[in-house]
Amino acid sequence: MRKVMAFLVVMAISVSAMAGQITVGFAQLGAESMWRTANTDSIKGEAASRGINLIFSDAQQKQENQIKAVQSFIAQGVDVIGLPPVVNSGWEPVLREAKEAGIPVILADRTVDTSDDSLYVSFIGSNFIMEGESAGNWLVRELKAKYGDVKGEVFELVGTVGAAPAIDRKKGFENVIASYPNLNIVKSQSGDFTRAQGKEVMEAFIKSPEWTKAQTKIIYGHNDDMVLGAIQALEEAGVNPGKECIIIGVDAIADAFEAIAQGKMHVTVECNPLIGPQFYDMVEALVAGKTIPKIVYSNEGTYDYYCAAALLPWRRSLY
Ligand code: GYE
């Protein structure tokens, strides 16, 4: 019986190899936000519709788990590895292992910090610095329109410490506000991109002297989930989020559109999680022996209270 089973397994593998079926290992970083859930659905759904054999793992926001997943994909001899690195450092050894095994790695959604960019074939995702700049530019315009003056105190909810989107969304935002001496970040703390920790951090902000002193309270969150947690904390503390603060998020998830439509939040900068189709286009090109671009950015916009209510049904239909 065992021999028959083993034979069937070997047959199945060789049939799929003969049919040219592509195997991809995707070392997802976790399930920390609605963005991530949509991203996972896109990666899984697109593999299924293209008949790609996807080996998927979830590292629960731990780098060591992601490294182990990549090593196991190398051992299994997959065709291509997809990796959204949870933090941006500490990847060189495992990327070198993949390179030596001749398995291309596509960085999907987050970047790594390395001086040797031959360790991965390509990056697909967002320009996080531009997202931070969009958030800053929106804020400057809003303050000018509302008060005729660019001043205020920013309470910043930072993403996962050391993650590319957290580093760059901060950098981009600071690039813009640096020109305005009366607009400053007065508190900045990580909420690890989750709703629960966003709420906790906001609870601490509300108790701080900076909060009491602030004249124009601005909340800038590196993702919508942390902002939605913060809105809960504000409401529980008796603060009217939409009236007493200016609230900015990133991602543009449907729940943020809803919060904006309800007047509890002001704006969200889009970060597109639906990168499955572009990702597998790159995978298929690689397997066909073609060269692919080193960087592929996804198209993104900014949605505020002028349009969020009208666009909510469309957003919900996406993810
Ligand atoms: O913005 C955030 C998620 O890496 C772009 O990760 C992604 C970010 C996204 O947890 O919500």
Side-chain angles (χ1 to χ4, degrees):
M1 187 61 192
R2 218 179 265 155
K3 270 189 192 154
V4 173
M5 282 302 288
F7 175 73
L8 286 177
V9 169
V10 170
M11 279 300 287
I13 292 172
S14 39
V15 165
S16 68
M18 260 168 22
Q21 196 189 24
I22 299 170
T23 297
V24 171
F26 196 90
Q28 183 58 289
L29 72 86
E32 74 285 0
S33 63
M34 280 184 75
W35 188 100
R36 188 65 54 199
T37 309
N39 177 249
T40 290
D41 290 349
S42 177
I43 295 295
K44 286 185 176 170
E46 191 66 18
S49 68
R50 293 190 190 206
I52 286 174
N53 176 30
L54 173 66
I55 312 175
F56 183 91
S57 70
D58 173 350
Q60 300 178 334
Q61 295 235 75
K62 293 206 177 71
Q63 183 174 28
E64 66 211 73
N65 293 346
Q66 264 190 313
I67 292 175
K68 275 187 208 140
V70 171
Q71 284 168 333
S72 115
F73 297 152
I74 298 170
Q76 293 173 74
V78 301
D79 295 302
V80 180
I81 293 172
L83 172 69
V86 61
V87 290
N88 73 354
S89 58
W91 291 101
E92 294 190 355
V94 76
L95 290 178
R96 204 159 289 125
E97 285 173 42
K99 191 180 170 188
E100 275 158 17
I103 300 176
V105 175
I106 299 175
L107 300 178
D109 131 47
R110 293 187 186 177
T111 47
V112 296
D113 186 15
T114 172
S115 51
D116 181 3
D117 68 4
S118 76
L119 292 177
Y120 60 91
V121 283
S122 188
F123 161 79
I124 156 121
S126 308
N127 185 333
F128 302 128
I129 295 192
M130 260 176 61
E131 289 172 350
E133 288 175 347
S134 297
N137 286 327
W138 181 89
L139 175 63
V140 167
R141 272 199 311 274
E142 180 72 4
L143 291 170
K144 278 184 185 158
K146 235 182 174 165
Y147 307 111
D149 196 6
V150 183
K151 61 175 174 38
E153 294 82 5
V154 180
F155 295 79
E156 183 184 33
L157 296 155
V158 176
T160 300
V161 174
I167 296 167
D168 289 351
R169 286 173 187 164
K170 182 175 186 58
K171 203 183 282 169
F173 187 79
E174 285 177 346
N175 285 349
V176 174
I177 69 163
S179 315
Y180 303 94
N182 297 325
L183 178 59
N184 295 300
I185 298 177
V186 293
K187 289 292 252 181
S188 179
Q189 200 178 314
S190 171
D192 207 16
F193 281 131
T194 69
R195 226 173 263 214
Q197 289 188 61
K199 182 167 184 255
E200 275 171 33
V201 171
M202 193 67 235
E203 283 164 356
F205 283 172
I206 295 171
K207 291 188 192 123
S208 70
E210 287 84 353
W211 183 258
T212 321
K213 270 190 276 166
Q215 298 288 309
T216 308
K217 297 180 170 71
I218 298 151
I219 295 161
Y220 169 46
H222 292 179
N223 81 345
D224 289 334
D225 282 90
M226 291 190 294
V227 164
L228 293 167
I231 290 173
Q232 264 179 32
L234 290 165
E235 287 182 324
E236 283 175 21
V239 180
N240 184 322
K243 291 228 165 72
E244 295 176 57
C245 316
I246 295 176
I247 307 188
I248 306 165
V250 182
D251 275 355
I253 57 172
D255 282 5
F257 275 52
E258 199 162 313
I260 298 171
Q262 292 170 346
K264 297 180 176 186
M265 182 175 167
H266 294 82
V267 66
T268 180
V269 175
E270 184 175 33
C271 179
N272 181 12
L274 307 180
I275 57 177
Q278 279 169 294
F279 172 73
Y280 293 110
D281 282 350
M282 293 158 89
V283 167
E284 286 171 350
L286 280 175
V287 173
K290 295 182 189 146
T291 316
I292 58 172
K294 195 77 193 176
I295 301 179
V296 177
Y297 284 129
S298 33
N299 287 333
E300 292 164 351
T302 300
Y303 303 95
D304 68 5
Y305 50 80
Y306 288 108
C307 61
L311 294 177
L312 177 59
W314 157 74
R315 204 65 188 177
R316 279 257 179 255
S317 74
L318 285 181
Y319 51 86

